[in-house]
Amino acid sequence: MKANKLKRPLLLVLGASVLLMGGCSSDEEEESASQSAASLAESEGIMTLSDETNVKTIYTTDFQEDIYNQIEELKSSEYTFDSPLIIANPYRTNTTSLYVYFNTDEAVEISYTISADGYSDFSYTTSGGYTTEHEYQLIGLVGGTENSVTLTATDEEGNTESTQWTYTAPEIQNQDEYIKLDITEGTSTQEVSDGLYTILGNDQDMDEGEDEDASYRYIYIYDNDGVCRAEIPVMSYRAHRLIFKDGIMYYSASAKYFVGMDATGRLAEIYDLGDYRLHHDYIFGTDGNVLLLGTEYDAKTEEDRVLSLDLESGEVSEIIDLRDLFGDYLDTLEYPDDDTLDWMHLNTLSLVDNDSLILSARETSTIMRVDNIYDNPTVEWTIGSDNFWEGTGYEDLLLEQVGEFSLQAGQHCVEVVEDESLEDGQYYLYMFNNNFTTCTSRGYDYDEDDNYYGTYSKVEEDDAESYFYIYLVDENEGTFELSYSLPVAYSAYVSSVQLLDNGNILTDSGFAFTAAEYDSDGELIQSLNGSGDQWWYRAFKYDYSGFWFK
């Protein structure tokens, strides 16, 4: 292996107005810029294109296009593997990241390693395969720390060459609190899964007051040692999950804006949801559009719609309105004087059979299947308490419970799992069963409902537990049964669960600031533990393959 220290010309762009947007206005400013460039060249030599920190500005098409055009002009110069173009977080979308661009004479594949004192190495192969033009966003640098970056080029015959530089990455927001999470080792001997833990914070002021408490509006990405390897700012509210398609990573940047980021960190798509605000969840539909849970502004009810976002046109349409499907139940409720009625509180949607959705309604502790979602939505069945729904006119929709167990209560993150070993009409549903009984829109007394036991209101506070549940749904027989139950740290509201590709189980007990990874037998491998003023809304694990990594 040939190792080289970086020896390219070193530059600094002090802001969008200096290099490419009209130049300096005086000889003094030119001299100041030159001195700053020289100072940086002596230290680390990483270019920067903008010092913009206002998140509302960053999430605009004008800002993103301005930075993109600057980079395109810079790329017209010659950059090689030994002398690449390196820019610190040019699009301001990933605090500690580096943008890297160069060309090679022959097709090579690029891998890299981040080394920093006191931390394990972070090593990945970039996406893109063997090519002669190379453009990447390197993530994994530790904030507030000097990082050594080793870039390795491997040709198709296996020959390698490397180059190296150092960079002291800026601190992330709340550096002391979030740079390293505590790890609790479990008793399982199973390895943790590959991938990066992705912590999605709880909501912040919806679309108002974006300049306040901004330090909590971030997506934090952690390695298996609990070290923060990336920090993505969002405008307000929260991101609910990350979804990937055609090299773009989509997420919510506020309740009003849904965005798509490319692998260089550029916000390639920014969608305004118009008359609706997003909440809780989104997935890809069968038509390639994005299905989102939403609330219509100025409506008297909230969190009771399913929307469709056309990624090509940006058009938002409403495909499901629970007021149409459960109107008779809604008519029995009283509207608050000075607020909207949160009567269903949809928090999850999961696609099944191409044109049906499994929806989770937290307020009624009910799971439902809605068919014909694009044409004529109808409720096929529900899973909930027969006592709760008695006398509402919707009793006949309930599937029959098989076996003795406490029903799901205040559930989150209900997902469909189809299994080839099952008959047609059978499938599994897994969920985070918060085990928290509440219904503020109706005042229903769950303490008198014998479908629930061990819930928060029926046990001592210190004894309360939430659960990872798996139901087997049999639509042929009209039944459901509990196939698996795993007690986890209690969380009344914010929470998630994910079945990982290797069979491990990842749960997020947001109230407890705990993300726990279990083996397939339910034995704890490890948990990540944090703290803060805002709960962890969800925690998922992504391998980012096909996006940042091979």
Side-chain angles (χ1 to χ4, degrees):
M1 175 183 288
K2 178 184 175 184
N4 298 311
K5 286 290 186 179
L6 187 66
K7 53 181 185 293
R8 65 178 179 83
L10 300 170
L11 301 171
L12 169 68
V13 184
L14 291 179
S17 64
V18 176
L19 183 66
L20 301 175
M21 300 296 292
C24 301
S25 59
S26 69
D27 292 340
E28 281 187 358
E29 289 176 341
E30 290 181 355
E31 182 178 71
S32 174
S34 175
Q35 289 172 351
S36 297
S39 174
L40 188 68
E42 290 173 1
S43 57
E44 293 170 334
I46 307 299
M47 186 183 294
T48 180
L49 290 182
S50 173
D51 57 2
E52 180 62 66
T53 58
N54 186 294
V55 181
K56 292 177 68 176
T57 300
I58 291 167
Y59 278 92
T60 61
T61 300
D62 286 347
F63 177 83
Q64 294 295 316
E65 287 185 351
D66 177 40
I67 297 298
Y68 175 79
N69 291 333
Q70 292 190 53
I71 291 176
E72 286 300 297
E73 185 166 339
L74 287 168
K75 285 164 59 177
S76 63
S77 299
E78 177 119 5
Y79 294 99
T80 66
F81 177 70
D82 290 336
S83 299
L85 170 64
I86 307 174
I87 309 173
N89 185 23
Y91 296 104
R92 319 309 291 172
T93 55
N94 199 333
T95 305
T96 62
S97 67
L98 291 175
Y99 167 93
V100 177
Y101 177 84
F102 58 92
N103 290 279
T104 53
D105 293 333
E106 59 179 319
V108 295
E109 186 174 60
I110 301 299
S111 58
Y112 71 98
T113 296
I114 307 294
S115 301
D117 287 345
Y119 301 95
S120 58
D121 284 354
F122 183 91
S123 298
Y124 277 92
T125 299
T126 61
S127 61
Y130 293 91
T131 183
T132 58
E133 185 176 21
H134 305 269
E135 186 175 32
Y136 312 107
Q137 182 186 58
L138 306 186
I139 75 160
L141 292 94
V142 182
T145 301
E146 182 179 80
N147 296 263
S148 175
V149 183
T150 302
L151 215 61
T152 299
T154 304
D155 65 24
E156 294 178 279
E157 296 179 353
N159 300 309
T160 63
E161 181 179 4
S162 67
T163 190
Q164 187 180 73
W165 67 90
T166 60
Y167 173 57
T168 300
E171 291 189 353
I172 65 171
Q173 296 293 314
N174 293 301
Q175 171 87 5
D176 294 340
E177 184 177 339
Y178 290 114
I179 197 64
K180 176 73 167 67
L181 300 178
D182 293 331
I183 298 287
T184 299
E185 299 293 339
T187 56
S188 173
T189 58
Q190 175 70 32
E191 295 292 327
V192 292
S193 59
D194 293 333
L196 298 172
Y197 297 105
T198 303
I199 307 295
L200 306 165
N202 201 33
D203 51 307
Q204 285 285 333
D205 298 327
M206 306 302 282
D207 286 303
E208 298 178 359
E210 284 90 344
D211 296 327
E212 299 175 8
D213 300 326
S215 59
Y216 290 105
R217 300 194 188 101
Y218 287 82
I219 300 168
Y220 289 102
I221 299 176
Y222 292 89
D223 64 19
N224 281 331
D225 294 326
V227 178
C228 185
R229 296 294 184 169
E231 176 193 63
I232 300 173
V234 297
M235 295 170 64
S236 62
Y237 196 34
R238 58 176 175 246
H240 299 79
R241 67 169 77 237
L242 307 179
I243 57 177
F244 300 83
K245 182 180 181 181
D246 298 331
I248 301 294
M249 180 174 76
Y250 294 93
Y251 61 95
S252 54
S254 75
K256 187 173 177 59
Y257 290 98
F258 187 77
V259 302
M261 180 194 294
D262 70 20
T264 69
R266 177 173 71 103
L267 296 173
E269 305 288 351
I270 301 176
Y271 301 97
D272 187 330
L273 300 181
D275 294 333
Y276 299 92
R277 60 176 173 86
L278 174 152
H279 62 87
H280 289 95
D281 211 3
Y282 37 81
I283 59 173
F284 288 115
T286 51
D287 57 2
N289 292 354
V290 175
L291 303 180
L292 315 95
L293 297 177
T295 292
E296 184 179 14
Y297 284 110
D298 300 326
K300 294 182 179 180
T301 62
E302 64 179 38
E303 308 205 3
D304 53 6
R305 321 289 178 89
V306 178
L307 314 174
S308 178
L309 168 64
D310 187 318
L311 294 177
E312 293 295 325
S313 67
E315 180 181 353
V316 178
S317 56
E318 186 177 300
I319 63 172
I320 297 175
D321 185 344
L322 289 192
R323 297 178 304 177
D324 298 332
L325 302 181
F326 290 90
D328 290 343
Y329 172 69
L330 177 60
D331 288 342
T332 67
L333 305 178
E334 293 185 9
Y335 288 79
D337 293 334
D338 300 319
D339 202 356
T340 54
L341 179 64
D342 186 6
W343 64 293
M344 277 287 185
H345 199 100
L346 294 178
N347 61 21
T348 314
L349 68 173
S350 184
L351 196 66
V352 61
D353 293 341
N354 295 322
D355 65 347
S356 298
L357 282 173
I358 303 297
L359 299 176
S360 167
R362 189 205 74 193
E363 177 70 3
T364 59
S365 291
T366 300
I367 301 166
M368 66 188 74
R369 172 170 173 155
V370 179
D371 290 347
N372 306 312
I373 60 174
Y374 296 109
D375 300 316
N376 182 31
T378 56
V379 181
E380 178 66 17
W381 54 252
T382 62
I383 296 175
S385 168
D386 54 358
N387 296 324
F388 182 94
W389 289 104
E390 183 178 5
T392 64
Y394 300 93
E395 300 93 333
D396 292 344
L397 293 173
L398 288 165
L399 296 181
E400 181 182 353
Q401 178 177 339
V402 176
E404 292 294 327
F405 56 90
S406 182
L407 284 178
Q408 81 282 349
Q411 73 288 333
H412 283 71
C413 213
V414 180
E415 301 285 348
V416 176
V417 178
E418 296 181 339
D419 191 313
E420 293 181 355
S421 67
L422 298 177
E423 299 176 7
D424 289 344
Q426 295 179 327
Y427 48 86
Y428 293 107
L429 297 179
Y430 74 80
M431 71 198 75
F432 192 101
N433 175 15
N434 299 77
N435 211 28
F436 180 61
T437 46
T438 184
C439 184
T440 57
S441 61
R442 178 178 164 184
Y444 181 76
D445 187 359
Y446 280 100
D447 287 343
E448 300 299 320
D449 192 329
D450 58 7
N451 286 301
Y452 303 93
Y453 48 88
T455 56
Y456 178 78
S457 60
K458 294 186 176 183
V459 299
E460 295 294 329
E461 182 174 350
D462 292 342
D463 295 331
E465 288 182 309
S466 296
Y467 294 88
F468 167 52
Y469 262 16
I470 300 180
Y471 285 162
L472 172 61
V473 174
D474 188 337
E475 295 182 340
N476 306 312
E477 299 295 329
T479 63
F480 73 100
E481 59 185 282
L482 183 63
S483 295
Y484 186 83
S485 176
L486 174 68
V488 300
Y490 180 72
S491 187
Y493 293 111
V494 291
S495 51
S496 64
V497 63
Q498 180 185 20
L499 285 181
L500 302 172
D501 290 341
N502 69 342
N504 288 355
I505 304 161
L506 177 63
T507 66
D508 166 46
S509 299
F511 267 31
F513 294 95
T514 296
E517 186 168 345
Y518 301 86
D519 64 23
S520 57
D521 293 323
E523 194 170 350
L524 180 66
I525 304 172
Q526 70 172 26
S527 65
L528 280 67
N529 309 288
S531 61
D533 293 332
Q534 293 296 321
W535 304 316
W536 293 353
Y537 178 67
R538 284 177 172 172
F540 294 122
K541 205 168 193 182
Y542 302 107
D543 60 17
Y544 296 95
S545 62
F547 185 67
W548 285 317
F549 309 132
K550 180 178 177 180

